[in-house]
Amino acid sequence: MGRLGLEINEVAPRFAWSLSLGSDFFMETAKLRAARLLWEQVVEAFGGSDEAQKLFLHARTSRWNKTATDPWVNMLRVTTEAFSGICAGCDALHVGAFDEALGLPTDFSRRVARNVQIVLREEAHAGRVVDPAGGAYYVEWLTNELARRSWELFQEVERRGGLLASLREGWIQAELGRTAAERAKSIGTRRDVFVGTNKYPNLAEKPVQASAVDREELVASRRQAVIRFRAKVDRDRRRTELTRLAALSDRPSAMEAAIGAARAGAALPGLLCALRGEKPRGETIAPVGVHRGAAAFEALRRAMADHSRSGGEVMKVFLANLGPIPQHKARADFSRGFFELGALEVVGNDGFSTVEAAADAALASSARVVCICSTDASYPDLVPPLVRLLKERAPDLWVVLAGYPKEHVEAFRAAGVDDFIHVRSNALEQLENLQRLLGVLK
């Protein structure tokens, strides 16, 4: 029994968990199932009954992996995410609108989000199966592994004095920051893919129009509303109500006193301190950064759009394709997709038989970036003379090589190659650097 006389069997059934659903189907299914195991273990440890150990789970499709560029893909993402939540046995489900990364949803996007649920329920009959993932070896193993590792984290938090103490010392923020950095690297190197944003961009697509929210104005207006409210609060009455609340231990009287204190202007921190018998600390805890995974790549596209609207020149990349089509096509296609992530205009061709022809065409294109595309075997004979011709006539030209032939990298750099792009490249870092060199990013 707690300080307020609350029994675990009364409290536990009134809790609800709300978890987001990402695009890794099996991981998300196992995550919700693991949450039930953890809750059962916690309630059982406090002596809760079998009924109290049941967890009400609300799930919503994640905002983190939704994209503002090519937002139509979000329709597919929310469908798989919703299905994973249903397979995990969630009790309530929210499907986000496909354009929620752009601003307020439209009637159309709300209709699509609603119909995703209706199709899964009425046409796929997903809600008629009890524990559809149960018994599958991989799902059961992943569920148990997630529960085990999560329990270890819970125990670590307890060893550090609890959640509040862990937040005060910054341990939780550091752990989340480390994970965020790893995920950011995976997104930058495109091991984690956002279709249409950090891979397979479609620059010809017209932007989706949405009702944007001026978040800065909203925050400012809410801040002013809080200031006005606090100015009207009777501080003596608030202090009296909080003192009365802190002195009570009887549950019904404490609830009545808490309501009275809230009406007198007490905020949640003050109510909690009074219930715990603590003095307000007046401290600030370092916040956890909140962002979407695709936001950094979307910023590249916005920067180029802003540059164009302000009258800036069109930023072109010329593909210096050397040899017949079979010799250069694979790397030319890769390079086009790479540079279009930064909204650069890529000038292609069917290839050149000589480095002189490639150099003439590259310089005539007025492109400020040239990307050489061919095979590793042909690079030693073609790259040095081509780069020399380009740099002699346009010293400020930025020359990029598609590929990373390790044994020739230093020689090619000495010949004048400025950068290399390949499947292990951090595309985000390289494109940000390129936009700075071109004067798009400041």
Side-chain angles (χ1 to χ4, degrees):
M1 184 179 292
R3 179 174 179 267
L4 299 180
L6 299 175
E7 296 281 357
I8 184 65
N9 289 331
E10 293 181 86
V11 174
R14 290 170 170 77
F15 274 84
W17 284 26
S18 184
L19 301 175
S20 65
L21 298 164
S23 56
D24 189 327
F25 178 82
F26 289 109
M27 180 64 75
E28 299 305 311
T29 301
K31 180 175 73 177
L32 268 62
R33 299 175 86 245
R36 292 191 184 279
L37 293 179
L38 292 169
W39 182 248
E40 177 184 347
Q41 188 167 339
V42 169
V43 177
E44 183 182 26
F46 281 93
S49 65
D50 291 344
E51 189 65 26
Q53 293 170 22
K54 296 179 181 179
L55 173 63
F56 184 91
L57 260 177
H58 170 266
R60 77 143 3 249
T61 55
S62 174
R63 292 176 181 269
W64 186 85
N65 64 351
K66 299 306 179 287
T67 56
T69 51
D70 200 352
W72 310 106
V73 183
N74 295 330
M75 294 184 186
L76 307 177
R77 294 187 180 113
V78 299
T79 302
T80 62
E81 290 165 5
F83 187 54
S84 68
I86 294 169
C87 286
C90 67
D91 299 290
L93 177 65
H94 171 83
V95 175
F98 72 86
D99 57 355
E100 65 181 350
L102 293 166
L104 297 175
T106 62
D107 290 342
F108 174 67
S109 65
R110 283 194 293 265
R111 178 184 175 190
V112 171
R114 179 198 66 201
N115 285 347
V116 166
Q117 294 205 44
I118 293 175
V119 168
L120 288 171
R121 185 184 66 192
E122 302 294 341
E123 297 187 22
H125 307 292
R128 297 189 178 184
V129 183
V130 177
D131 194 12
Y137 173 80
Y138 176 64
V139 176
E140 296 288 3
W141 174 85
L142 189 56
T143 298
N144 291 331
E145 190 69 8
L146 276 175
R148 182 182 66 81
R149 296 192 182 187
S150 298
W151 190 250
E152 291 175 355
L153 282 174
F154 288 168
Q155 290 177 315
E156 178 64 25
V157 170
E158 288 299 303
R159 279 194 295 270
R160 292 176 176 272
L163 182 62
L164 185 56
S166 298
L167 286 168
R168 283 173 179 154
E169 69 172 285
W171 180 78
I172 289 178
Q173 295 91 324
E175 290 296 303
L176 292 174
R178 187 159 35 251
T179 300
E182 292 173 359
R183 298 193 75 174
K185 183 177 180 180
S186 294
I187 294 167
T189 55
R190 301 190 292 173
R191 290 198 300 272
D192 288 347
V193 175
F194 293 105
V195 173
T197 302
N198 75 340
K199 209 165 189 179
Y200 313 119
N202 180 8
L203 298 186
E205 184 177 56
K206 293 183 178 179
V208 175
Q209 299 300 316
S211 301
V213 180
D214 188 340
R215 300 190 184 280
E216 292 185 1
E217 192 277 333
L218 178 62
V219 170
S221 66
R222 296 307 302 154
R223 183 182 292 115
Q224 289 302 315
V226 171
I227 291 172
R228 289 193 297 270
F229 172 78
R230 287 179 174 174
K232 297 178 181 179
V233 169
D234 185 335
R235 297 187 179 184
D236 292 334
R237 182 189 166 205
R238 181 179 63 186
R239 188 180 304 109
T240 300
E241 293 290 345
L242 286 174
T243 301
R244 185 165 73 90
L245 174 60
L248 292 172
S249 59
D250 178 69
R251 182 183 56 189
S253 299
M255 179 57 70
E256 181 183 345
I259 294 173
R263 286 175 174 167
L268 186 58
L271 293 172
L272 290 175
C273 287
L275 288 168
R276 293 170 179 164
E278 300 175 352
K279 291 183 178 180
R281 296 175 179 271
E283 63 184 330
T284 300
I285 294 175
V288 174
V290 178
H291 65 282
R292 288 183 298 107
F297 275 95
E298 292 169 356
L300 293 173
R301 300 270 283 270
R302 284 197 304 272
M304 191 62 76
D306 292 342
H307 176 78
S308 298
R309 280 194 293 268
S310 64
E313 65 176 300
V314 176
M315 296 302 174
K316 297 180 182 178
V317 177
F318 182 85
L319 300 184
N321 300 325
L322 299 173
I325 291 177
Q327 181 174 325
H328 67 255
K329 180 172 173 53
R331 280 180 167 157
D333 290 346
F334 170 83
S335 300
R336 176 178 292 276
F338 187 97
F339 289 112
E340 286 184 345
L341 296 176
L344 293 156
E345 182 180 321
V346 178
V347 181
N349 49 74
D350 292 332
F352 303 95
S353 57
T354 65
V355 295
E356 289 79 10
D360 290 340
L363 294 167
S365 71
S366 73
R368 293 174 58 183
V369 180
V370 174
C371 181
I372 303 172
C373 302
S374 192
T375 61
D376 285 357
S378 63
Y379 278 159
D381 295 327
L382 299 174
V383 171
L386 175 56
V387 176
R388 184 173 60 253
L389 287 172
L390 292 171
K391 293 286 188 174
E392 284 176 353
R393 297 165 63 181
D396 295 333
L397 202 63
W398 188 259
V399 179
V400 180
L401 185 70
Y404 196 78
K406 291 183 179 180
E407 63 276 16
H408 300 293
V409 166
E410 293 305 319
F412 291 162
R413 286 194 185 277
V417 173
D418 297 294
D419 206 354
F420 299 81
I421 60 171
H422 47 90
V423 293
R424 294 180 300 278
S425 292
N426 190 314
L428 178 62
E429 290 182 358
Q430 288 186 274
L431 289 169
E432 285 177 338
N433 181 57
L434 187 56
Q435 284 196 351
R436 289 190 189 94
L437 289 169
L438 297 174
V440 176
L441 283 179
K442 304 302 181 184

